Amino acid sequence: MDIIQLSPGDLSELLESDHSVFLLDVREEEEFDFCKIIGSVNIPLINLVQNLQKIDQDKLVVTICHHGHRSLKAAMTLKDLGFSDVRNLKGGIDAWSTNIDPEVKRY
């Protein structure tokens, strides 16, 4: 199953448009507390399946992690569980910080 990969620029354009987006950050809580994309919701990957009710299925769900690997796994899990519109932030929050918002701390 192929998951659409969004570049940081693609995500930035989506967030600036009227498109309804649910930003799902699947990093651990400590990572999320250190830096995040404003408006994102933190559900660590290990807790994802138990917290599906917290995800707004009426919106495009964009999964986020540090470099894009855990979030890709999360996106595939959501697709397998019936979520229809799921995409992954390629390069994760690190790429977001490098390319879009240098105010987001890197680690």
Side-chain angles (χ1 to χ4, degrees):
M1 171 183 337
D2 289 333
I3 300 293
I4 295 173
Q5 301 278 331
L6 295 178
S7 71
D10 294 336
L11 178 56
S12 180
E13 287 176 19
L14 268 176
L15 293 174
E16 290 172 9
S17 73
D18 287 336
H19 204 90
S20 192
V21 179
F22 186 91
L23 299 174
L24 174 61
D25 193 316
V26 299
R27 295 174 299 144
E28 294 300 312
E29 189 175 338
E30 303 80 39
E31 293 174 281
F32 185 76
D33 289 344
F34 182 74
C35 66
K36 63 182 105 358
I37 297 174
I38 294 171
S40 56
V41 173
N42 181 227
I43 303 173
L45 182 58
I46 195 166
N47 301 326
L48 182 63
V49 175
Q50 299 91 330
N51 289 282
L52 296 176
Q53 75 281 0
K54 295 180 180 178
I55 303 169
D56 189 342
Q57 291 192 49
D58 294 330
K59 297 180 178 180
L60 162 64
V61 177
V62 178
T63 56
I64 303 162
C65 70
H66 189 198
H67 287 119
H69 305 290
R70 284 177 283 177
S71 55
L72 181 58
K73 186 173 182 178
M76 289 190 291
T77 298
L78 292 174
K79 283 290 239 184
D80 287 344
L81 293 171
F83 283 72
S84 58
D85 202 1
V86 181
R87 300 179 195 172
N88 182 51
L89 177 58
K90 186 176 183 178
I93 197 154
D94 190 65
W96 178 265
S97 176
T98 302
N99 296 288
I100 302 298
D101 186 357
E103 296 293 312
V104 173
K105 296 183 213 166
R106 295 183 69 208
Y107 61 100

